[in-house]
Amino acid sequence: MRTEYDFSQARPNPYTKKLRRQITIRLDDDIIDYFKTQASATGMPYQNLINLYLADCARSKKTLKLTWS
């Protein structure tokens, strides 16, 4: 390795705002099955579909309406 590197021509990573963070989330089996079925129809991984759906909810500022019986 070099003892010194020249970063004067370096530029910021254009993808840093699109980095994803790995988390653990517990979902019901029927929810996972639904997204896996949708994934096989579209050819996308089901995790990407879940991410797209959640991103759409966040962009449109959807709110959850709970009613307790």
Side-chain angles (χ1 to χ4, degrees), residues 11-68:
R11 54 191 165 114
N13 183 346
Y15 302 106
T16 54
K17 291 188 179 185
K18 295 192 176 233
L19 293 178
R20 294 182 177 183
R21 183 171 55 170
Q22 183 175 351
I23 63 164
T24 300
I25 184 171
R26 297 180 189 276
L27 302 173
D28 295 334
D29 286 336
D30 56 337
I31 302 300
I32 295 170
D33 292 340
Y34 170 78
F35 278 101
K36 282 187 175 182
T37 302
Q38 295 298 313
S40 65
T42 60
M44 292 178 74
Y46 75 97
Q47 295 98 330
N48 289 12
L49 288 178
I50 294 170
N51 186 61
L52 285 172
Y53 181 77
L54 293 174
D56 180 56
C57 290
R59 270 193 300 276
S60 61
K61 298 192 183 334
K62 290 184 182 177
T63 57
L64 184 61
K65 295 178 180 135
L66 294 175
T67 55
W68 300 95

